[in-house]
Amino acid sequence: ARKEINNFDVVHLHLYRSFQNIVVAYYASKANVSYVVDAHGSVDLFVRKRMLKRLFDRLIGRRILSKASCLVAETKDGVSQYINVGLSRDKVTILSPPFSISEYKTLPSHGKFRNEYGLGEIPIVMFLGRLHHIKGLDLLLDGFHELISRGVKAKLVIVGSDDGYETELRSRVTKYGLDDQVIFAGFLFGSQKLEALVDASVVVQTSRYEEGAWAPFEAVLCRTPIVVSDNSGAGMDVKKIDAGYLC
């Protein structure tokens, strides 16, 4: 960073609390090179490591944000996060991430994913995203357990790569006695992901925080109903265009 920073007119910093941001923001400021920060909705403290986050913010984080030439938010919720920590609204620009819809114009036929897992026509509750505590998968699993305990026949399919939370989830599945009702499909992409979305009965996103409704909109483009928690940017997106159910 020290050697290369003068070769740039502007630097774009992704996320907020990271070692890279500390280094790059320091050398950019020292060389009078402008930098932009897109925190991707990570300015709030959320639920884990709150003390460490407060320490980071006090020592260096707020300085990184205040010295930025521009702050990028992806939704109005992201704007509020910047304002809530004392930053000027005039410094914030909303830039929604681009969303390509070309791959959804021709959808796979119904039944390919179901046939692969031998699911027949049983209702499928699906989650799509990384396996992380912030995604609220424990809340989804609690709700699914209640559904099954009422005698409803259904399967829960969890689609996504592990981000440090899969072991805890599998333990909860076993604790509830749901090993036969829950499928961990892993990371799917391309046609495999579309086949899963087309075959799902409903896609559920119960995130504790979510900057935008990316995965739910993928489901909508596959003509699959969605349920999204209404406490963050994802809920705002869904409500704005009346795309699904909020919880």
Side-chain angles (χ1 to χ4, degrees):
R2 182 180 67 252
K3 292 177 180 178
E4 297 292 337
I5 199 73
N6 284 304
N7 293 325
F8 298 92
D9 300 307
V10 62
V11 179
H12 192 125
L13 302 182
H14 284 278
L15 300 179
Y16 169 43
R17 300 180 185 91
S18 74
F19 173 72
Q20 291 91 333
N21 282 4
I22 296 173
V23 175
V24 176
Y26 171 78
Y27 284 114
S29 297
K30 199 170 182 181
N32 290 318
V33 173
S34 298
Y35 66 86
V36 174
V37 177
D38 184 350
H40 296 289
S42 62
V43 175
D44 274 357
L45 297 176
F46 302 123
V47 293
R48 290 191 168 185
K49 302 180 181 178
R50 296 173 72 95
M51 292 301 295
L52 282 174
K53 290 175 181 177
R54 282 197 179 96
L55 181 63
F56 177 91
D57 294 350
R58 184 170 296 180
L59 292 177
I60 189 66
R62 294 293 181 259
R63 199 179 319 157
I64 291 175
L65 295 177
S66 63
K67 288 188 175 183
S69 299
C70 177
L71 301 168
V72 176
E74 296 171 12
T75 63
K76 290 182 179 179
D77 188 61
V79 175
S80 299
Q81 289 188 25
Y82 289 126
I83 293 174
N84 290 342
V85 295
L87 298 162
S88 171
R89 173 64 182 86
D90 295 336
K91 208 172 185 179
V92 184
T93 298
I94 296 181
L95 290 176
S96 299
F99 195 101
S100 174
I101 62 171
S102 58
E103 65 177 306
Y104 303 94
K105 289 182 178 179
T106 303
L107 297 175
S109 57
H110 175 83
K112 290 184 178 180
F113 181 83
R114 288 176 174 272
N115 289 339
E116 182 180 348
Y117 285 90
L119 297 175
E121 291 301 318
I122 193 170
I124 294 175
V125 179
M126 183 172 290
F127 166 84
L128 175 64
R130 61 192 175 98
L131 278 54
H132 189 279
H133 173 75
I134 203 170
K135 296 295 186 177
L137 281 159
D138 53 327
L139 306 176
L140 174 56
L141 198 53
D142 290 348
F144 183 73
H145 175 240
E146 184 174 336
L147 189 73
I148 297 301
S149 67
R150 294 182 181 185
V152 176
K153 303 295 183 183
K155 294 282 187 178
L156 173 60
V157 176
I158 298 174
V159 178
S161 56
D162 183 25
D163 197 2
Y165 197 56
E166 184 173 343
T167 299
E168 187 172 334
L169 273 178
R170 286 185 179 275
S171 295
R172 190 179 289 252
V173 168
T174 300
K175 172 187 170 184
Y176 283 152
L178 295 174
D179 293 276
D180 293 333
Q181 281 79 38
V182 179
I183 296 171
F184 289 85
F187 177 73
L188 301 179
F189 64 96
S191 60
Q192 289 181 315
K193 180 179 68 174
L194 294 181
E195 289 168 5
L197 289 171
V198 165
D199 281 358
S201 307
V202 60
V203 169
V204 182
Q205 187 183 68
T206 51
S207 298
R208 290 179 167 84
Y209 180 78
E210 201 72 52
E211 179 73 357
W214 192 280
F217 283 172
E218 289 186 280
V220 169
L221 288 168
C222 291
R223 302 170 189 169
T224 300
I226 59 173
V227 177
V228 178
S229 50
D230 66 356
N231 59 314
S232 63
M236 289 182 181
D237 281 350
V238 171
K239 185 176 182 180
K240 183 166 62 176
I241 63 172
D242 193 22
Y245 298 96
L246 298 175
C247 65

